[in-house]
Structures are given as C-alpha cells and as structure tokens.
Amino acid sequence: MSYTGPGFEPPPARRSRSRLLTVALAALVPGALLGWAVYAIVGGSGDDKGGGSAAAGASGSAGSSASASSRAPSSAGGSASGESGDPDGGKPGGSATSGSPSDRASSSAPAGSGPLKGKVVVIDPGHNPGNFRHTAEINRQVDIGTNSKECDTTGTSTNAGYAEAKFTLDVAHRMRALLEEQGAAVKLTQDADRPFGPCIDERAEIGNKAKADAVVSIHADGSGVGNRGFHVILPGSVHSGAADTRAIVGPSRELGERIAGNFVRVTGNAPSNYVGDGTGLVTRKDLGGLNLSTVPKVFVECGNMRDSKDAALLTSGAWRQKAAQGISEGIVSFLRG
C-alpha cells in the first residue's frame, strides 16, 4: 500500500529509569493500554535492532526461538517485487498446485500442553516468494463480496531488494514456534510450498475451514519515505454478496488491540505516523482476506519497507524475533481472555 503523511519525529531518548517504570506498569496496566503507556515512558526507539527487550517480563512469553528462523525458506523474489497495492495474498484457480484449503495449508506439529492447548491459530504470511513469476495468474480477479480484486500482488520490498514475501515467511516461522510452545495448533496459509498464491479468497477460506480461534495476516507496507511505524488493519462491518463480517468485527478489534499493545511493548516501536491517528489501528472494508473471513482476523503491517529507518528494522533478524513475539503475545492475550 502507498500512503502520504507527515514526516516522522523521532521520539525522545530513553531515560535511565525506564526499565523500572516499565516493570511497574507491567504489573498495573492490562491489555493494549500497556503498550502505549510503556512507549510513552521509554521513548519507543524505532531504531532498536534487538538490544534489551521489554519482552522479558511479559506474561506467558514463549521466549526466543532460533529454530524458527532456521526453517525459513530462501526467497527468489527479492529484486522483482514491486510496491504492493493490496496487502492481501493470492492463488489462481484451476492450478495443478491448488487444492482444498485444508490440503494446501501448512500445518504445525501436534499441539502439546500449554495455556493455548485446544486453540487453533492460522498465520497468513502475505504474498508468496514465487508470485513475481506468475503475474498473469495473480492478476486474475476474485470476488471479495463487495467487488472484485486481484488474486494477489507480488508485495513490496526494501530499496535494497529484501522482499516482503521473504519477511512475512520469516516472521510467520518465528510466530509458529512461539505459539506451539504455548500449546496452540498452528497452520500457515502458505510456506513457499507452492509456486504462487493462494488467492485472497482461499486464504480466508483456510482460516474459516480450520475454525481458527484467531487468524493473523503478516505484512510490511510500501509507503513513502518518512512514513514510519506499524499498524493493525481491522475488518469493517460488511454485509454484501459472499461477505458478512458483522459477527467478527468485535472480536477482531479486540484481537487487533491486544496485538498492537503488545507490539509496542515488546519492540519499543511507535504506531504508524501516517495512518491510524497514532492508535496503530485502521479499519478497512476493501480487503478480501478480511471481508470473507468468518473467524476473528486482522492484518499486521509491521513497518514501512520504503523508509530506510524502518527497513533497517525489518531486515534485522533480532528485530523480527521481537516483532514475532509481540504479535504472538497479543494472540495469547486475546485467546486467554
């Protein structure tokens, strides 16, 4: 997506007493409000690439997992990815690589014990590293209830060629490891295990058929230089054609708020300075991945790949681990009520 907005004003420097104040707040302030409170106190340095993380004191933290990133496949699509016009994903119909959503989804190992035992989480890594080789297929129109849209896009990339599709898979792998440690059964909508896709409608169907307790679609934005920060996209109330989000608007907002609060707290990064009026929350009715969902679902735009400061974070493995942890802890908080 591409937006214009005011330039980013760097937050004030961290103060030496910030850690003590953060711990105190962690005991006093629940839910999404905690994230913004901590950000206001510690200054929310957007340039932190993995130094002292506030995540150490998080309730139910799954900790770091080096094995998660080691499973990430390499991406062939880095230099070919263009700026994304839509954060949805994609798959063409009638492909020999397609199949039922339950067949195509990449499932986790059997869930173990933990606070999320019995819960199903679907992670939707935006786009696919191979999409750029299949532009005709991903340009095919699909029905999203309110209108038709492209099956998918290639996604965006940093100016140096680090592809959004590679970023989303890496974060998804890290999230899968963290959530499985909490006992959840985790499914990915794609794991670079198909030439392209799936389409936005099939991505939604995968979550629906899994009867997921939560679905999170992972993305990075392609906005203008100076536009910084993350935002969480929530489904608006849509009742048109095949789309009916009325039952999921409320729980999806709660999921989004908890993710946003934990993302700020764990990463120390500010919400977007160009959409969401500083809340980190944006409601949209034009995304098929949300419109066609029948289970709680949100999109997370983790940062802006076209801004050099955000790009430095997005290309850091240490920061991606923190992003995965912040999102995962938001999911845990939502599912545990």
Side-chain angles (χ1 to χ4, degrees):
M1 291 178 294
S2 179
Y3 299 98
T4 57
F8 180 79
E9 291 295 332
R14 294 178 184 267
R15 295 192 289 266
S16 61
R17 299 178 59 192
S18 61
R19 290 184 181 275
L20 293 176
L21 290 171
T22 298
V23 172
L25 275 172
L28 297 173
V29 186
L33 291 177
L34 173 59
W36 276 274
V38 172
Y39 174 77
I41 289 174
V42 303
S45 173
D47 296 322
D48 185 0
K49 294 186 177 66
S53 169
S59 172
S61 169
S64 299
S65 173
S67 62
S69 59
S70 67
R71 294 186 304 198
S74 61
S75 170
S79 61
S81 289
E83 205 167 280
S84 173
D86 185 341
D88 282 323
K91 169 196 88 61
S95 167
T97 64
S98 63
S100 69
S102 59
D103 293 337
R104 295 302 309 168
S106 177
S107 300
S108 72
S113 60
L116 297 189
K117 184 176 182 179
K119 300 294 186 180
V120 177
V121 177
V122 171
I123 304 172
D124 178 29
H127 314 290
N128 182 313
N131 276 359
F132 78 102
R133 297 190 184 96
H134 298 275
T135 54
E137 292 92 341
I138 66 172
N139 284 333
R140 182 178 67 86
Q141 297 286 302
V142 298
D143 181 15
I144 66 167
T146 53
N147 58 288
S148 295
K149 294 192 77 168
E150 294 84 359
C151 160
D152 196 4
T153 69
T154 59
T156 189
S157 68
T158 66
N159 293 331
Y162 179 62
E164 180 185 0
K166 185 174 182 179
F167 168 83
T168 63
L169 276 172
D170 182 78
V171 173
H173 292 154
R174 295 169 188 269
M175 288 177 58
R176 177 172 61 188
L178 292 167
L179 291 166
E180 284 177 350
E181 288 178 11
Q182 296 291 301
V186 182
K187 296 183 178 182
L188 270 60
T189 58
Q190 60 91 14
D191 199 0
D193 51 355
R194 55 196 295 164
F196 50 88
C199 281
I200 53 180
D201 53 349
E202 185 183 344
R203 288 175 187 257
E205 191 177 1
I206 289 169
N208 296 345
K209 286 199 169 184
K211 298 181 179 179
D213 296 286
V215 182
V216 176
S217 190
I218 306 300
H219 292 271
D221 208 358
S223 186
V225 175
N227 291 342
R228 297 194 60 195
F230 78 94
H231 61 280
V232 182
I233 303 176
L234 315 174
S237 182
V238 174
H239 185 209
S240 177
D244 187 356
T245 63
R246 293 174 295 178
I248 68 164
V249 167
S252 295
R253 171 167 283 275
E254 182 182 353
L255 172 62
E257 289 174 346
R258 289 177 183 263
I259 289 174
N262 280 278
F263 196 92
V264 171
R265 178 178 55 78
V266 175
T267 67
N269 288 95
S272 169
N273 67 348
Y274 59 102
V275 291
D277 296 324
T279 66
L281 303 173
V282 178
T283 300
R284 291 179 59 173
K285 299 181 180 181
D286 63 325
L287 302 180
L290 296 179
N291 286 1
L292 300 176
S293 183
T294 59
V295 294
K297 182 174 182 177
V298 299
F299 282 45
V300 182
E301 296 278 0
C302 296
N304 176 21
M305 288 194 137
R306 295 297 187 175
D307 178 84
S308 61
K309 291 182 178 180
D310 269 12
L313 301 177
L314 297 167
T315 55
S316 162
W319 188 87
R320 291 195 299 273
Q321 183 66 28
K322 292 167 71 175
Q325 187 170 339
I327 297 169
S328 297
E329 290 184 7
I331 295 171
V332 172
S333 175
F334 170 74
L335 294 179
R336 297 188 69 183

PDB file of all heavy atoms in Angstrom, residues 99-128:
ATOM      1  N   GLY A  99      -5.774 -26.895  -4.589  1.00  0.00           N
ATOM      2  CA  GLY A  99      -6.403 -27.994  -3.893  1.00  0.00           C
ATOM      3  C   GLY A  99      -7.280 -27.400  -2.838  1.00  0.00           C
ATOM      4  O   GLY A  99      -7.429 -26.191  -2.755  1.00  0.00           O
ATOM      5  N   SER A 100      -7.893 -28.252  -2.019  1.00  0.00           N
ATOM      6  CA  SER A 100      -8.745 -27.697  -0.982  1.00  0.00           C
ATOM      7  C   SER A 100      -7.886 -26.924  -0.008  1.00  0.00           C
ATOM      8  O   SER A 100      -6.717 -27.250   0.206  1.00  0.00           O
ATOM      9  CB  SER A 100      -9.478 -28.826  -0.244  1.00  0.00           C
ATOM     10  OG  SER A 100      -8.566 -29.571   0.523  1.00  0.00           O
ATOM     11  N   PRO A 101      -8.459 -25.869   0.613  1.00  0.00           N
ATOM     12  CA  PRO A 101      -7.669 -25.088   1.559  1.00  0.00           C
ATOM     13  C   PRO A 101      -7.065 -25.931   2.664  1.00  0.00           C
ATOM     14  O   PRO A 101      -5.942 -25.700   3.093  1.00  0.00           O
ATOM     15  CB  PRO A 101      -8.686 -24.070   2.093  1.00  0.00           C
ATOM     16  CG  PRO A 101      -9.666 -23.927   0.977  1.00  0.00           C
ATOM     17  CD  PRO A 101      -9.765 -25.292   0.357  1.00  0.00           C
ATOM     18  N   SER A 102      -7.796 -26.923   3.142  1.00  0.00           N
ATOM     19  CA  SER A 102      -7.269 -27.744   4.230  1.00  0.00           C
ATOM     20  C   SER A 102      -6.078 -28.564   3.759  1.00  0.00           C
ATOM     21  O   SER A 102      -5.164 -28.865   4.517  1.00  0.00           O
ATOM     22  CB  SER A 102      -8.357 -28.665   4.781  1.00  0.00           C
ATOM     23  OG  SER A 102      -8.868 -29.503   3.763  1.00  0.00           O
ATOM     24  N   ASP A 103      -6.070 -28.961   2.470  1.00  0.00           N
ATOM     25  CA  ASP A 103      -4.943 -29.702   1.935  1.00  0.00           C
ATOM     26  C   ASP A 103      -3.728 -28.810   1.745  1.00  0.00           C
ATOM     27  O   ASP A 103      -2.602 -29.219   1.958  1.00  0.00           O
ATOM     28  CB  ASP A 103      -5.311 -30.342   0.589  1.00  0.00           C
ATOM     29  CG  ASP A 103      -6.351 -31.432   0.734  1.00  0.00           C
ATOM     30  OD1 ASP A 103      -6.470 -31.985   1.840  1.00  0.00           O
ATOM     31  OD2 ASP A 103      -7.047 -31.723  -0.261  1.00  0.00           O
ATOM     32  N   ARG A 104      -3.967 -27.559   1.270  1.00  0.00           N
ATOM     33  CA  ARG A 104      -2.860 -26.678   0.933  1.00  0.00           C
ATOM     34  C   ARG A 104      -2.221 -26.036   2.150  1.00  0.00           C
ATOM     35  O   ARG A 104      -1.059 -25.668   2.119  1.00  0.00           O
ATOM     36  CB  ARG A 104      -3.337 -25.573  -0.014  1.00  0.00           C
ATOM     37  CG  ARG A 104      -3.786 -26.064  -1.375  1.00  0.00           C
ATOM     38  CD  ARG A 104      -2.690 -26.819  -2.092  1.00  0.00           C
ATOM     39  NE  ARG A 104      -1.443 -26.085  -2.119  1.00  0.00           N
ATOM     40  CZ  ARG A 104      -0.298 -26.624  -2.473  1.00  0.00           C
ATOM     41  NH1 ARG A 104      -0.221 -27.897  -2.800  1.00  0.00           N
ATOM     42  NH2 ARG A 104       0.796 -25.882  -2.499  1.00  0.00           N
ATOM     43  N   ALA A 105      -2.981 -25.860   3.235  1.00  0.00           N
ATOM     44  CA  ALA A 105      -2.449 -25.174   4.408  1.00  0.00           C
ATOM     45  C   ALA A 105      -1.311 -25.977   5.018  1.00  0.00           C
ATOM     46  O   ALA A 105      -1.358 -27.192   5.090  1.00  0.00           O
ATOM     47  CB  ALA A 105      -3.547 -24.960   5.447  1.00  0.00           C
ATOM     48  N   SER A 106      -0.281 -25.266   5.459  1.00  0.00           N
ATOM     49  CA  SER A 106       0.858 -25.907   6.103  1.00  0.00           C
ATOM     50  C   SER A 106       0.567 -26.032   7.588  1.00  0.00           C
ATOM     51  O   SER A 106       0.472 -25.036   8.291  1.00  0.00           O
ATOM     52  CB  SER A 106       2.120 -25.084   5.874  1.00  0.00           C
ATOM     53  OG  SER A 106       3.217 -25.639   6.544  1.00  0.00           O
ATOM     54  N   SER A 107       0.417 -27.273   8.057  1.00  0.00           N
ATOM     55  CA  SER A 107       0.010 -27.490   9.442  1.00  0.00           C
ATOM     56  C   SER A 107       1.212 -27.621  10.354  1.00  0.00           C
ATOM     57  O   SER A 107       2.303 -27.988   9.931  1.00  0.00           O
ATOM     58  CB  SER A 107      -0.846 -28.759   9.549  1.00  0.00           C
ATOM     59  OG  SER A 107      -2.007 -28.655   8.765  1.00  0.00           O
ATOM     60  N   SER A 108       0.983 -27.318  11.617  1.00  0.00           N
ATOM     61  CA  SER A 108       2.026 -27.465  12.616  1.00  0.00           C
ATOM     62  C   SER A 108       2.099 -28.908  13.071  1.00  0.00           C
ATOM     63  O   SER A 108       1.262 -29.739  12.732  1.00  0.00           O
ATOM     64  CB  SER A 108       1.722 -26.579  13.822  1.00  0.00           C
ATOM     65  OG  SER A 108       0.630 -27.115  14.545  1.00  0.00           O
ATOM     66  N   ALA A 109       3.116 -29.200  13.864  1.00  0.00           N
ATOM     67  CA  ALA A 109       3.184 -30.471  14.557  1.00  0.00           C
ATOM     68  C   ALA A 109       2.041 -30.528  15.561  1.00  0.00           C
ATOM     69  O   ALA A 109       1.462 -29.501  15.924  1.00  0.00           O
ATOM     70  CB  ALA A 109       4.522 -30.605  15.258  1.00  0.00           C
ATOM     71  N   PRO A 110       1.669 -31.746  16.016  1.00  0.00           N
ATOM     72  CA  PRO A 110       0.590 -31.840  17.005  1.00  0.00           C
ATOM     73  C   PRO A 110       0.851 -30.945  18.202  1.00  0.00           C
ATOM     74  O   PRO A 110       1.964 -30.877  18.717  1.00  0.00           O
ATOM     75  CB  PRO A 110       0.621 -33.326  17.398  1.00  0.00           C
ATOM     76  CG  PRO A 110       1.217 -34.015  16.216  1.00  0.00           C
ATOM     77  CD  PRO A 110       2.219 -33.056  15.651  1.00  0.00           C
ATOM     78  N   ALA A 111      -0.172 -30.218  18.610  1.00  0.00           N
ATOM     79  CA  ALA A 111      -0.019 -29.275  19.713  1.00  0.00           C
ATOM     80  C   ALA A 111       0.262 -30.008  21.011  1.00  0.00           C
ATOM     81  O   ALA A 111      -0.266 -31.086  21.265  1.00  0.00           O
ATOM     82  CB  ALA A 111      -1.278 -28.425  19.850  1.00  0.00           C
ATOM     83  N   GLY A 112       1.103 -29.434  21.844  1.00  0.00           N
ATOM     84  CA  GLY A 112       1.411 -30.012  23.133  1.00  0.00           C
ATOM     85  C   GLY A 112       0.578 -29.373  24.222  1.00  0.00           C
ATOM     86  O   GLY A 112      -0.480 -28.817  23.981  1.00  0.00           O
ATOM     87  N   SER A 113       1.082 -29.469  25.448  1.00  0.00           N
ATOM     88  CA  SER A 113       0.373 -28.860  26.560  1.00  0.00           C
ATOM     89  C   SER A 113       0.779 -27.403  26.669  1.00  0.00           C
ATOM     90  O   SER A 113       1.834 -26.997  26.193  1.00  0.00           O
ATOM     91  CB  SER A 113       0.695 -29.605  27.854  1.00  0.00           C
ATOM     92  OG  SER A 113       2.081 -29.552  28.114  1.00  0.00           O
ATOM     93  N   GLY A 114      -0.041 -26.609  27.305  1.00  0.00           N
ATOM     94  CA  GLY A 114       0.235 -25.192  27.468  1.00  0.00           C
ATOM     95  C   GLY A 114      -1.066 -24.432  27.563  1.00  0.00           C
ATOM     96  O   GLY A 114      -2.149 -24.998  27.380  1.00  0.00           O
ATOM     97  N   PRO A 115      -0.979 -23.136  27.836  1.00  0.00           N
ATOM     98  CA  PRO A 115      -2.211 -22.351  28.019  1.00  0.00           C
ATOM     99  C   PRO A 115      -3.078 -22.264  26.776  1.00  0.00           C
ATOM    100  O   PRO A 115      -4.265 -21.966  26.885  1.00  0.00           O
ATOM    101  CB  PRO A 115      -1.677 -20.967  28.425  1.00  0.00           C
ATOM    102  CG  PRO A 115      -0.272 -20.926  27.910  1.00  0.00           C
ATOM    103  CD  PRO A 115       0.227 -22.325  28.028  1.00  0.00           C
ATOM    104  N   LEU A 116      -2.518 -22.521  25.580  1.00  0.00           N
ATOM    105  CA  LEU A 116      -3.306 -22.453  24.352  1.00  0.00           C
ATOM    106  C   LEU A 116      -3.678 -23.841  23.821  1.00  0.00           C
ATOM    107  O   LEU A 116      -4.107 -23.959  22.668  1.00  0.00           O
ATOM    108  CB  LEU A 116      -2.551 -21.679  23.269  1.00  0.00           C
ATOM    109  CG  LEU A 116      -2.248 -20.220  23.563  1.00  0.00           C
ATOM    110  CD1 LEU A 116      -1.699 -19.538  22.315  1.00  0.00           C
ATOM    111  CD2 LEU A 116      -3.470 -19.470  24.069  1.00  0.00           C
ATOM    112  N   LYS A 117      -3.543 -24.873  24.635  1.00  0.00           N
ATOM    113  CA  LYS A 117      -3.918 -26.216  24.197  1.00  0.00           C
ATOM    114  C   LYS A 117      -5.388 -26.223  23.776  1.00  0.00           C
ATOM    115  O   LYS A 117      -6.254 -25.716  24.480  1.00  0.00           O
ATOM    116  CB  LYS A 117      -3.695 -27.226  25.321  1.00  0.00           C
ATOM    117  CG  LYS A 117      -3.982 -28.668  24.893  1.00  0.00           C
ATOM    118  CD  LYS A 117      -3.666 -29.655  26.000  1.00  0.00           C
ATOM    119  CE  LYS A 117      -3.928 -31.084  25.526  1.00  0.00           C
ATOM    120  NZ  LYS A 117      -3.610 -32.078  26.576  1.00  0.00           N
ATOM    121  N   GLY A 118      -5.660 -26.764  22.605  1.00  0.00           N
ATOM    122  CA  GLY A 118      -7.024 -26.803  22.083  1.00  0.00           C
ATOM    123  C   GLY A 118      -7.372 -25.618  21.207  1.00  0.00           C
ATOM    124  O   GLY A 118      -8.420 -25.607  20.561  1.00  0.00           O
ATOM    125  N   LYS A 119      -6.498 -24.613  21.149  1.00  0.00           N
ATOM    126  CA  LYS A 119      -6.739 -23.430  20.321  1.00  0.00           C
ATOM    127  C   LYS A 119      -6.063 -23.610  18.953  1.00  0.00           C
ATOM    128  O   LYS A 119      -4.990 -24.196  18.847  1.00  0.00           O
ATOM    129  CB  LYS A 119      -6.195 -22.171  20.988  1.00  0.00           C
ATOM    130  CG  LYS A 119      -6.812 -21.858  22.339  1.00  0.00           C
ATOM    131  CD  LYS A 119      -8.278 -21.500  22.219  1.00  0.00           C
ATOM    132  CE  LYS A 119      -8.850 -21.052  23.555  1.00  0.00           C
ATOM    133  NZ  LYS A 119     -10.293 -20.692  23.454  1.00  0.00           N
ATOM    134  N   VAL A 120      -6.699 -23.080  17.935  1.00  0.00           N
ATOM    135  CA  VAL A 120      -6.169 -23.132  16.569  1.00  0.00           C
ATOM    136  C   VAL A 120      -5.854 -21.717  16.112  1.00  0.00           C
ATOM    137  O   VAL A 120      -6.712 -20.834  16.163  1.00  0.00           O
ATOM    138  CB  VAL A 120      -7.176 -23.781  15.599  1.00  0.00           C
ATOM    139  CG1 VAL A 120      -6.632 -23.748  14.162  1.00  0.00           C
ATOM    140  CG2 VAL A 120      -7.490 -25.210  16.025  1.00  0.00           C
ATOM    141  N   VAL A 121      -4.621 -21.511  15.690  1.00  0.00           N
ATOM    142  CA  VAL A 121      -4.194 -20.213  15.172  1.00  0.00           C
ATOM    143  C   VAL A 121      -3.740 -20.401  13.728  1.00  0.00           C
ATOM    144  O   VAL A 121      -2.936 -21.293  13.433  1.00  0.00           O
ATOM    145  CB  VAL A 121      -3.041 -19.624  16.004  1.00  0.00           C
ATOM    146  CG1 VAL A 121      -2.566 -18.298  15.391  1.00  0.00           C
ATOM    147  CG2 VAL A 121      -3.469 -19.419  17.455  1.00  0.00           C
ATOM    148  N   VAL A 122      -4.252 -19.575  12.840  1.00  0.00           N
ATOM    149  CA  VAL A 122      -3.807 -19.580  11.446  1.00  0.00           C
ATOM    150  C   VAL A 122      -2.975 -18.329  11.203  1.00  0.00           C
ATOM    151  O   VAL A 122      -3.417 -17.216  11.499  1.00  0.00           O
ATOM    152  CB  VAL A 122      -4.998 -19.639  10.468  1.00  0.00           C
ATOM    153  CG1 VAL A 122      -4.520 -19.422   9.025  1.00  0.00           C
ATOM    154  CG2 VAL A 122      -5.708 -20.990  10.582  1.00  0.00           C
ATOM    155  N   ILE A 123      -1.753 -18.531  10.710  1.00  0.00           N
ATOM    156  CA  ILE A 123      -0.871 -17.426  10.350  1.00  0.00           C
ATOM    157  C   ILE A 123      -0.833 -17.338   8.831  1.00  0.00           C
ATOM    158  O   ILE A 123      -0.600 -18.344   8.151  1.00  0.00           O
ATOM    159  CB  ILE A 123       0.547 -17.634  10.903  1.00  0.00           C
ATOM    160  CG1 ILE A 123       0.502 -17.842  12.423  1.00  0.00           C
ATOM    161  CG2 ILE A 123       1.437 -16.445  10.554  1.00  0.00           C
ATOM    162  CD1 ILE A 123       1.844 -18.247  13.017  1.00  0.00           C
ATOM    163  N   ASP A 124      -1.065 -16.153   8.320  1.00  0.00           N
ATOM    164  CA  ASP A 124      -1.153 -15.926   6.877  1.00  0.00           C
ATOM    165  C   ASP A 124       0.022 -15.063   6.426  1.00  0.00           C
ATOM    166  O   ASP A 124      -0.059 -13.832   6.477  1.00  0.00           O
ATOM    167  CB  ASP A 124      -2.493 -15.239   6.571  1.00  0.00           C
ATOM    168  CG  ASP A 124      -2.660 -14.918   5.102  1.00  0.00           C
ATOM    169  OD1 ASP A 124      -2.099 -15.641   4.259  1.00  0.00           O
ATOM    170  OD2 ASP A 124      -3.368 -13.928   4.794  1.00  0.00           O
ATOM    171  N   PRO A 125       1.138 -15.679   5.990  1.00  0.00           N
ATOM    172  CA  PRO A 125       2.272 -14.876   5.513  1.00  0.00           C
ATOM    173  C   PRO A 125       1.914 -14.216   4.178  1.00  0.00           C
ATOM    174  O   PRO A 125       1.655 -14.894   3.189  1.00  0.00           O
ATOM    175  CB  PRO A 125       3.399 -15.907   5.338  1.00  0.00           C
ATOM    176  CG  PRO A 125       2.909 -17.173   5.994  1.00  0.00           C
ATOM    177  CD  PRO A 125       1.427 -17.117   5.910  1.00  0.00           C
ATOM    178  N   GLY A 126       1.883 -12.903   4.153  1.00  0.00           N
ATOM    179  CA  GLY A 126       1.432 -12.184   2.972  1.00  0.00           C
ATOM    180  C   GLY A 126       2.251 -12.500   1.734  1.00  0.00           C
ATOM    181  O   GLY A 126       3.471 -12.615   1.785  1.00  0.00           O
ATOM    182  N   HIS A 127       1.536 -12.663   0.605  1.00  0.00           N
ATOM    183  CA  HIS A 127       2.147 -12.871  -0.707  1.00  0.00           C
ATOM    184  C   HIS A 127       2.846 -14.237  -0.762  1.00  0.00           C
ATOM    185  O   HIS A 127       2.559 -15.122   0.032  1.00  0.00           O
ATOM    186  CB  HIS A 127       3.060 -11.702  -1.058  1.00  0.00           C
ATOM    187  CG  HIS A 127       2.427 -10.374  -0.781  1.00  0.00           C
ATOM    188  ND1 HIS A 127       1.381  -9.878  -1.532  1.00  0.00           N
ATOM    189  CD2 HIS A 127       2.644  -9.461   0.203  1.00  0.00           C
ATOM    190  CE1 HIS A 127       0.997  -8.716  -1.035  1.00  0.00           C
ATOM    191  NE2 HIS A 127       1.745  -8.447   0.033  1.00  0.00           N
ATOM    192  N   ASN A 128       3.732 -14.415  -1.696  1.00  0.00           N
ATOM    193  CA  ASN A 128       4.439 -15.672  -1.899  1.00  0.00           C
ATOM    194  C   ASN A 128       5.716 -15.327  -2.659  1.00  0.00           C
ATOM    195  O   ASN A 128       5.673 -14.529  -3.601  1.00  0.00           O
ATOM    196  CB  ASN A 128       3.571 -16.638  -2.716  1.00  0.00           C
ATOM    197  CG  ASN A 128       4.208 -17.997  -2.943  1.00  0.00           C
ATOM    198  OD1 ASN A 128       5.370 -18.108  -3.321  1.00  0.00           O
ATOM    199  ND2 ASN A 128       3.435 -19.051  -2.744  1.00  0.00           N
TER     200      ASN A 128
END
